[in-house]
Amino acid sequence: MENQNWLVTDAGQVEVFGTTDVEEPERVYRLYRFLTELEDLLAAVSDDRERLLAIAPMVRTLLTSAYWLQMEYKEANPKTGWAVNFLYREHQFPLTVQMVTWAPGSRSTIHNHATWGLVALLGGQEKNHFWRRSPTDEFPDRLEPAGELLLSPGDIITFTPGAIHQVEPLGDEPTISFNLYGVTDFKQRYVFDPAAQTAKRF
């Protein structure tokens, strides 16, 4: 199956998103150039969907051209089941750029990101479980399942700020991904407990 770009909406809907075809750059597309062009794009485009549509091919070009990035990951912590390596950090730099590793047999919390996000899978297989809000008077944080998607290396998945998901590595190998997020609105950032039908703010 060919690689795809995917978009997950606040309602938990999943759709094929944009094209995976990118032209090979004439010179190495370095991380610093990617970040500069990304900042310019974010300043010019305010709609999250349009931003993600433009960012996905930039990320594909970056990962193809600056292939060393694919080796910039850390081994998953045996206690937590995951690890993060920040690729760029600067005082008051508003974006999150990182490599994330999940160990086999681990599973993330059910959460949103409260910002736009993009994950490019580089190694392993990963199942994303999607949820949508289904509030009641008694349980205003109630969720219901909204579907699943299996990601393979080369796939890119993007998220609108209210999208809710859970990550589950499959198989015997860790998953390795390039993750990119915008500015988090922490008032809207949650971890969800579907058993208790409650949400915990960060």
Side-chain angles (χ1 to χ4, degrees):
M1 183 177 178
E2 293 183 359
N3 292 131
Q4 295 283 2
N5 296 342
W6 304 94
L7 174 71
V8 185
T9 69
D10 289 7
Q13 296 176 324
V14 182
E15 57 187 78
V16 176
F17 191 57
T19 179
T20 59
D21 296 330
V22 294
E23 293 184 8
E24 186 173 344
E26 295 181 0
R27 57 182 174 176
V28 176
Y29 190 47
R30 302 191 185 278
L31 180 60
Y32 79 87
R33 191 177 304 281
F34 167 79
L35 293 175
T36 300
E37 293 183 1
L38 178 60
E39 275 197 302
D40 291 344
L41 169 68
L42 296 175
V45 180
S46 60
D47 180 77
D48 286 330
R49 184 186 179 96
E50 293 303 314
R51 285 174 166 178
L52 290 167
L53 191 62
I55 293 170
M58 292 169 60
V59 169
R60 286 194 178 278
T61 301
L62 174 69
L63 295 175
T64 300
S65 184
Y67 57 87
W68 61 269
L69 286 172
Q70 301 190 30
M71 304 304 296
E72 293 296 310
Y73 64 90
K74 296 179 179 180
E75 297 294 328
N77 185 312
K79 293 183 178 180
T80 64
W82 55 274
V84 171
N85 183 26
F86 288 92
L87 296 176
Y88 186 81
R89 302 180 84 168
E90 180 182 333
H91 179 60
Q92 295 186 335
F93 183 70
L95 306 178
T96 300
V97 188
Q98 60 192 18
M99 300 293 291
V100 177
T101 308
W102 284 97
S106 59
R107 183 181 284 208
S108 78
T109 58
I110 299 171
H111 62 280
N112 70 350
H113 289 279
T115 184
W116 58 264
L118 178 149
V119 175
L121 194 65
L122 303 178
Q125 280 198 318
E126 176 182 288
K127 181 180 284 187
N128 270 250
H129 303 266
F130 306 116
W131 304 76
R132 58 174 162 258
R133 291 180 177 273
S134 182
T136 65
D137 290 340
E138 184 178 4
F139 299 106
D141 296 321
R142 180 177 178 271
L143 300 179
E144 62 182 16
E148 298 177 342
L149 181 66
L150 179 63
L151 299 180
S152 297
D155 288 333
I156 287 180
I157 187 169
T158 63
F159 303 92
T160 57
I164 303 168
H165 75 136
Q166 180 181 41
V167 173
E168 179 188 8
L170 299 181
D172 299 325
E173 297 182 5
T175 62
I176 301 165
S177 61
F178 173 90
N179 293 31
L180 178 66
Y181 302 104
V183 181
T184 301
D185 179 359
F186 284 99
K187 293 181 180 179
Q188 300 298 323
R189 181 85 159 98
Y190 297 99
V191 169
F192 295 85
D193 182 349
Q197 300 188 22
T198 58
K200 179 182 178 181
R201 182 177 286 113
F202 272 62

